[in-house]
Amino acid sequence: MSMPIDPQTLGRAVKQAQYRHHRALDTQLAAIGTSLAQWDALRAIARSPGASARVLAEETFQTQQAFGTLATRMQARGLIERTPGHGRAIEHRLTPHGQHILRAANDVADKVLTASFAALSEHERTVLLELLHRIGDRPDAVIEGTRERAGE
């Protein structure tokens, strides 16, 4: 009979894997002149051309202010264009240079992540993805669980 897994141990293991990915990606992306934050922003803009900073901040797990600062730096590097949108919104689009950097960064990420997940079989990777989606698609469950414990 197996012992129940401590949720903090499980949470730390997820965080450790994420930390290793981030370190490896940042190191390899720096070699092509970009960063993990910029690559993530480029991917979000490519998925949603014309999106506002608010939408892109949510997509990249940042505050709107942090995304705005990042976007300003990326615009100065010629990676993105920012134009007035509806109301006070600013729309974001990739420039040709941004598209080039995104393709190169995607190649880097594919290599890093393929190496990282190489120890898992195709089936294990599929199960891992399904499990992460199952817990990631339920953000309210985390908040509700916290509220329940706080009310005890």
Side-chain angles (χ1 to χ4, degrees):
M1 180 190 264
S2 63
M3 297 287 295
I5 296 174
D6 172 40
Q8 290 186 27
T9 300
L10 186 57
R12 180 163 168 51
V14 170
K15 183 70 175 175
Q16 183 178 28
Q18 179 186 30
Y19 176 74
R20 286 186 176 161
H21 287 156
H22 285 191
R23 284 191 52 198
L25 286 167
D26 257 339
T27 299
Q28 296 298 314
L29 291 169
I32 62 166
T34 195
S35 68
L36 178 58
Q38 288 179 359
W39 171 59
D40 199 27
L42 291 169
R43 289 187 310 160
I45 295 166
R47 281 190 305 267
S48 302
S52 69
R54 181 188 61 77
V55 168
L56 295 168
E58 287 177 15
E59 280 288 311
T60 58
F61 309 103
Q62 298 184 48
T63 65
Q64 194 168 342
Q65 181 180 2
F67 186 84
T69 300
L70 176 63
T72 298
R73 287 194 312 264
M74 292 173 67
Q75 183 178 25
R77 290 193 54 214
L79 299 172
I80 65 170
E81 296 173 341
R82 298 170 81 196
T83 57
H86 183 69
R88 293 180 17 189
I90 305 247
E91 296 181 350
H92 299 75
R93 287 184 176 69
L94 298 182
T95 63
H97 180 55
Q99 292 170 357
H100 171 75
I101 293 295
L102 176 58
R103 282 190 300 274
N106 283 339
D107 289 344
V108 166
D110 285 346
K111 289 175 186 163
V112 168
L113 296 172
T114 296
S116 176
F117 291 116
L120 302 177
S121 70
E122 185 67 29
H123 174 73
E124 289 169 327
R125 289 191 297 270
T126 300
V127 170
L128 176 60
L129 181 61
E130 289 170 357
L131 293 172
L132 290 171
H133 278 301
R134 190 183 314 166
I135 62 174
D137 291 343
R138 298 185 59 228
D140 293 341
V142 174
I143 294 169
E144 289 169 10
T146 304
R147 284 189 193 135
E148 289 171 10
R149 285 193 232 344
E152 293 178 342

